[in-house]
Amino acid sequence: MQNDVMYGIVARQRLNSIIKEIFRKSIHICSSFVPLFLKFAYWPVIVLLVLALVFYSLSEILRMNNHPIPLISKITELAARKRDENRFVLGPVTLVIGILLAALLLPHECATIGIFALAFGDGTASLVGKLIGRVAIPGAHGKTVAGSLACFTAVYISSFCVCQNCLTALICAFCAMMIEVLPLADFDNVLIPISIGGIFSLL
């Protein structure tokens, strides 16, 4: 009986973790629309991203001081990982910074490759790793072989759709996979779009 109760608790915790990961990474995947918006309204989108960054940061500061903004703070709590409990949730900040840096520093096609690598590669890596990942990568803080392969596949497909070059897409996918596996916490959100977009520009 006690074992059944413990199993039920563990199962619920795992389900909650998966739901949170799906919710969080759906935001990542939605960022794939940013290059399209940038193409048609570059500076308005940049301004909106900066405003979103400032607004979110202020809402997190208020939440940490027991003055939550109802909708925003609730969404943050729903998406927060266990490591983020009772802390400033940094993921959305690094996500927007990574997108902004790619958009501001790289040509549009390069920025698109980088943002897609972040949106699809990092997003699918976490989801697949949570859902079916069984073999952990040593020293990668819980990241899995399945997640890394999912990252490689997603970045290859998204890069090829942009550049139509198999070798270039393979190189971008391999580099994204190697960066994603590093134990960078939320800072891979900054490194992936800049690095992959920069590598693509060199190729």
Side-chain angles (χ1 to χ4, degrees), residues 29 61 74 83:
I29 293 170
I61 292 169
K74 187 63 178 176
R83 73 180 186 219

Side-chain angles (χ1 to χ4, degrees), residues 110-152:
C110 302
T112 299
I113 292 281
I115 293 169
F116 280 3
L118 174 62
F120 299 117
D122 188 50
T124 56
S126 295
L127 286 175
V128 171
K130 283 277 185 186
L131 291 170
I132 64 172
R134 295 293 180 269
V135 181
I137 299 171
H141 291 197
K143 295 183 179 183
T144 65
V145 172
S148 292
L149 292 176
C151 175
F152 178 90

Side-chain angles (χ1 to χ4, degrees), residues 78-183:
L78 286 172
R81 289 187 175 102
K82 192 169 182 62
R83 73 180 186 219
D84 293 324
E85 289 179 2
N86 302 315
R87 296 173 56 189
F88 188 106
V89 180
L90 199 58
V93 173
T94 56
L95 177 71
V96 175
I97 288 174
I99 292 170
L100 277 171
L101 289 176
L104 291 169
L105 299 177
L106 298 170
H108 184 265
E109 189 178 30
C110 302
T112 299
I113 292 281
I115 293 169
F116 280 3
L118 174 62
F120 299 117
D122 188 50
T124 56
S126 295
L127 286 175
V128 171
K130 283 277 185 186
L131 291 170
I132 64 172
R134 295 293 180 269
V135 181
I137 299 171
H141 291 197
K143 295 183 179 183
T144 65
V145 172
S148 292
L149 292 176
C151 175
F152 178 90
T153 304
V155 176
Y156 172 76
I157 293 171
S158 63
S159 297
F160 183 79
C161 287
V162 176
C163 70
Q164 300 293 305
N165 185 298
C166 182
L167 180 59
T168 299
L170 281 171
I171 293 170
C172 288
F174 178 77
C175 293
M177 180 182 70
M178 297 307 294
I179 294 170
E180 194 279 330
V181 82
L182 296 173

